[in-house]
Amino acid sequence: QGQLVESGGGLVQPGGSLRLSCAASGFPLENYAIGWFRQAPGKEREEVSCISSSESRTYYADSVKGRFTISRDNAKNTVNLQMNSLKPADTAVYYCATVSGGVVAGGLGCLPDSGSWGQGTQVTVSS
């Protein structure tokens, strides 16, 4: 699984956009299914979106469908999350992690592997 580092968070107005990036160090991210998760203060971590290692099959939580887009940039060894039409409810710390390839390929969701979580990146949506 290796080490993953999230970046790109910040403060935006409702309706604004942000692009998050998940970067891998020391291993090719393109060989792994990757998921984005988020956790708001006092709440449990929830799945947001994930992408398979091949065929680029994707999954989106109902709460973000039509607004978020997950993609790969293999040249930069990253997985990105483009977030548009942001709402205050999107406010959370966002994390990326390797996930079960079979689960995301089957369109069933994002099941994280047993690795540790990083620091994440803070996204705040407020006027």
Side-chain angles (χ1 to χ4, degrees):
Q1 296 172 240
Q3 302 178 70
L4 301 177
V5 178
E6 305 90 345
S7 63
L11 173 64
V12 297
Q13 304 263 50
S17 298
L18 281 174
R19 182 186 297 105
L20 306 185
S21 181
C22 176
S25 60
F27 69 99
L29 199 55
E30 64 182 302
N31 294 337
Y32 297 86
I34 301 295
W36 282 98
F37 303 80
R38 67 187 183 187
Q39 185 171 30
K43 298 184 178 180
E44 296 183 350
R45 185 165 51 235
E46 63 178 355
E47 63 187 25
V48 176
S49 179
C50 42
I51 186 169
S52 64
S53 59
S54 61
E55 308 299 326
S56 295
R57 188 171 300 185
T58 58
Y59 170 87
Y60 297 94
D62 289 341
S63 59
V64 306
K65 282 182 179 178
R67 300 189 297 120
F68 291 10
T69 303
I70 191 170
S71 63
R72 292 182 179 274
D73 188 338
N74 292 334
K76 297 181 179 179
N77 200 27
T78 63
V79 171
N80 303 312
L81 184 69
Q82 178 66 45
M83 306 186 297
N84 299 324
S85 302
L86 284 163
K87 307 173 181 179
D90 296 318
T91 296
V93 177
Y94 284 70
Y95 304 88
C96 63
T98 57
V99 301
S100 169
V103 172
V104 61
L108 301 178
C110 312
L111 180 65
D113 293 325
S114 58
S116 61
W117 298 91
Q119 292 186 7
T121 184
Q122 176 72 51
V123 172
T124 302
V125 185
S126 179
S127 59

